[in-house]
Amino acid sequence: MFTSISGRSVLVTGGTKGIGKGLAAGFAAEGARVVITGRDAELGERTAAGLTAAGGAVWYAAGDVSDPASCAAVVAAARERHGGLDVLCCNAGIFPAAPLDEMTPAQLDDVLSVNLKGTIFMVQAALQALQESGHGRVIVTSSITGPVTGFTGWTAYGASKAGQLGFIRSAALELARSGITINAILPGNIATEGLDELGEDYLRSMEAAIPMRHLGSVADIANAALFFATDEAAYITGQTLVIDGGQIIPESLEAMG
Ligand code: NAP
């Protein structure tokens, strides 16, 4: 289905679990060679081994996206292993909740450092390699929270996710002449390992707010990322794609029918 992906060198930040692991699995299934990053090395090695055992070509490189030197090291590792870098998935993210009247400067810094600055640091670190690729692609995992919707307690998170979209629009202009595209995916509620901790009641209430009445899968996100990475998507840049089962559409509960 995504034939131009085979053989491409792909780097997925936050690829050790959740949506990032799904992105790595999706690219690997299409024949790409994938490097995943994350801070927890034990988890990273385990995830890479599992995806490789399932038939993919996936390696782990330790990395912290909030540290520019670490971003450069991860890109260097991917280039060394694969001779270049074609696709960068800026997916690493954290989502601690903190009400405005309690949020400390350190908490705000953490969220912005990983989610927003981490995205920018990674793109900067990958710039030369993506230019050399000739078909460089950047795919940012944003969210509906911030760019489109709000959620009590997630002001910093929402600001970081909306900030990513401000970044991609100007970056798209700077990168356009190198043939590099940069686009963002805005997931709604996606089923990941971490969700189980939130409990059955929370899951049911989330499903009730989604017109399709079920959470999205990591494969739903990977399929969109794969499309943005194809040769066929070469003329699409600076754009956003909401993947949420229709969650942002209804204007009231009654509107859901
Ligand atoms: P997750 O399961 O908690 O996974 C987060 C990943 O990011 C892990 O691999 C984690 O590994 C990595 N990470 C965190 N901080 C990092 C750092 N400083 N440097 C490098 N890697 C780091 O989260 P998820 O639900 O899959 O979310 C992934 C992305 O999707 C996030 O950007 C999130 O905002 C977005 N999103 C998720 C949903 C959803 O429903 N799940 C909805 C909308 C948007 P380490 O902790 O080992 O570093």
Side-chain angles (χ1 to χ4, degrees):
M1 184 167 148
F2 301 106
T3 52
S4 54
I5 302 296
S6 185
R8 293 274 155 91
S9 168
V10 179
L11 175 53
V12 182
T13 71
T16 59
K17 62 178 174 172
I19 289 176
K21 181 179 173 185
L23 291 171
F27 277 99
E30 296 297 327
R33 298 162 299 153
V34 184
V35 169
I36 57 173
T37 73
R39 294 160 302 173
D40 180 341
E42 194 189 322
L43 175 65
E45 296 290 2
R46 201 173 345 122
T47 300
L51 293 174
T52 300
V58 181
W59 290 268
Y60 168 72
D64 180 342
V65 297
S66 67
D67 171 10
S70 181
C71 294
V74 169
V75 170
R79 293 178 88 172
E80 194 179 326
R81 179 163 286 281
H82 298 141
L85 180 65
D86 304 302
V87 181
L88 169 65
C89 295
C90 292
N91 169 81
I94 56 173
F95 24 89
L100 264 183
D101 55 1
E102 290 173 17
M103 188 197 306
T104 65
Q107 285 173 322
L108 178 59
D109 275 348
D110 276 352
V111 173
L112 296 179
S113 293
V114 177
N115 298 3
L116 180 56
K117 290 166 72 178
T119 298
I120 299 172
F121 290 151
M122 276 308 309
V123 173
Q124 285 184 306
L127 214 46
Q128 195 190 341
L130 292 172
Q131 279 164 350
E132 287 167 7
S133 157
H135 35 236
R137 299 281 188 276
V138 181
I139 298 139
V140 173
T141 312
S142 176
S143 175
I144 58 169
T145 310
V148 191
T149 63
F151 206 126
T152 303
W154 271 279
T155 54
Y157 177 77
S160 73
K161 292 285 143 179
Q164 287 178 312
L165 302 192
F167 166 68
I168 70 155
R169 293 190 180 108
S170 293
L173 301 180
E174 290 194 26
L175 304 181
R177 265 169 264 180
S178 311
I180 302 170
T181 70
I182 179 165
N183 295 290
I185 290 168
L186 281 57
N189 286 294
I190 306 303
T192 57
E193 303 93 316
L195 269 189
D196 294 341
E197 293 159 21
L198 300 174
E200 272 301 302
D201 286 352
Y202 186 80
L203 283 181
R204 294 291 88 82
S205 75
M206 282 201 294
E207 285 169 351
I210 301 170
M212 288 188 184
R213 294 288 194 257
H214 64 85
L215 271 59
S217 68
V218 296
D220 290 325
I221 306 304
N223 285 333
L226 283 163
F227 170 66
F228 278 133
T230 59
D231 285 349
E232 288 78 2
Y235 204 53
I236 304 171
T237 195
Q239 298 305 306
T240 59
L241 183 58
V242 171
I243 302 174
D244 70 343
Q247 185 173 343
I248 63 168
I249 301 298
E251 57 187 50
S252 66
L253 278 177
E254 286 70 33
M256 297 256 268

